[in-house]
Amino acid sequence: MSSAAAGRRLRVALGVAVTVGTLALALRGVDFSTLIRDMGRADLALLLGLSIPVHAATLWVRALRWRHLTETITPIERDAMFRATAVGALANNVFPLRLEEVVRAYYLSRETQAGTAPLFGSIVLERGIDGLVVIGLALAIFGARGSAEPGALAVGVPLLLAGVLPLGAVIWLRVAPEQVIRAIRLVFRVIAGGRGGAPVEQLVRRMAEGLGSLHGGRHLAWVAWHSFWIWTLLGIAPFLIAMAFVVCSACR
């Protein structure tokens, strides 16, 4: 058996083992008789007919947004972005530790020959934007209510800072990558005597290539527009569908 074939078998075996293990962990303590009974009472055709289009629309809008974040790396077709986004969502439902970001960057790099590190850099930027949007919406809701619960702002402001700091690090990497490289060298000099830092430096340089959309202009405008819809209508649609099912079940 060739080393490539052995490597593929090992990856498949590892994937199956992780899937079985995570399913066992997720289903631990589940009453399957109750689960089967409740699934039998559900209108699965209606549920799938509503949820699948919403999920597909969310993946499509996320793919469009990601396309604007990767435009400065290399132009990529919408269909390829959608496939990579869908594969990442699938991986997120199967693998632990939210490996979606790594999987979709790797998948898209294999399909388009774009570098994995720059694509991953664009995903880091995307996640920073998501964090700011979610925290900003939460603070806006609290502010619009006028009488927020005690301590809401005391929790919200640190969360906002927690979202700003990672994005600030991303902006620092985009604006002054050499300063970030020097900081990495200093860290490795302190903790490892300067050994092992070269691969990390190369990875960070490649990731910086994926942050070109921070130039501003129409790319960031479209990113902001897509982020708004992702975290408003498309974000709350599954909850509205679930609430509608609960109300309908209660009325029976």
Side-chain angles (χ1 to χ4, degrees):
M1 183 188 302
S2 66
S3 58
R8 284 194 297 270
R9 289 192 176 186
L10 178 61
R11 289 194 295 270
V12 170
L14 179 61
V16 171
V18 170
T19 301
V20 172
T22 52
L23 281 175
L25 182 63
L27 297 176
R28 183 180 56 182
V30 172
D31 186 346
F32 287 97
S33 60
T34 302
L35 176 62
I36 294 173
R37 185 183 69 245
D38 291 342
M39 290 181 64
R41 294 169 54 188
D43 190 342
L44 292 181
L46 180 59
L47 177 62
L48 295 177
L50 292 173
S51 60
I52 290 178
V54 171
H55 183 60
T58 303
L59 292 177
W60 180 253
V61 176
R62 284 188 175 276
L64 293 179
R65 181 180 66 170
W66 190 23
R67 187 167 182 255
H68 284 288
L69 293 174
T70 60
E71 188 76 18
T72 54
I73 303 172
T74 182
I76 301 175
E77 295 181 355
R78 294 184 182 91
D79 291 346
M81 304 297 293
F82 178 74
R83 287 192 293 271
T85 304
V87 168
L90 174 64
N92 199 40
N93 291 326
V94 175
F95 296 113
L97 304 177
R98 294 192 60 85
L99 291 177
E100 170 190 356
E101 288 77 3
V102 177
V103 170
R104 64 181 167 123
Y106 176 75
Y107 179 90
L108 188 61
S109 69
R110 291 288 297 271
E111 184 170 352
T112 63
Q113 305 303 314
T116 303
L119 291 175
F120 188 72
S122 69
I123 293 174
V124 172
L125 174 59
E126 179 189 78
R127 284 296 174 238
I129 293 171
D130 278 341
L132 283 182
V133 171
V134 171
I135 296 171
L137 288 174
L139 292 178
I141 292 172
F142 281 126
R145 292 180 59 180
S147 58
E149 286 83 356
L153 290 180
V155 174
V157 171
L159 284 177
L160 182 61
L161 292 176
V164 169
L165 291 176
L167 187 58
V170 170
I171 294 174
W172 182 30
L173 178 60
R174 177 66 187 92
V175 174
E178 291 306 318
Q179 289 184 7
V180 177
I181 295 299
R182 286 196 293 270
I184 292 174
R185 288 174 183 167
L186 178 61
V187 171
F188 273 90
R189 190 178 303 123
V190 172
I191 65 175
R195 296 184 300 274
V200 177
E201 291 181 23
Q202 181 64 22
L203 176 63
V204 171
R205 289 184 191 276
R206 295 284 290 157
M207 286 180 59
E209 297 176 13
L211 305 178
S213 58
L214 284 177
H215 278 308
R218 67 182 185 89
H219 289 301
L220 281 184
W222 277 112
V223 168
W225 176 248
H226 290 138
S227 298
F228 173 79
W229 287 109
I230 288 171
W231 291 106
T232 53
L233 179 61
L234 294 174
I236 65 175
F239 298 99
L240 295 178
I241 293 173
M243 290 175 62
F245 271 92
V246 171
V247 172
C248 291
S249 299
C251 293
R252 291 177 180 175

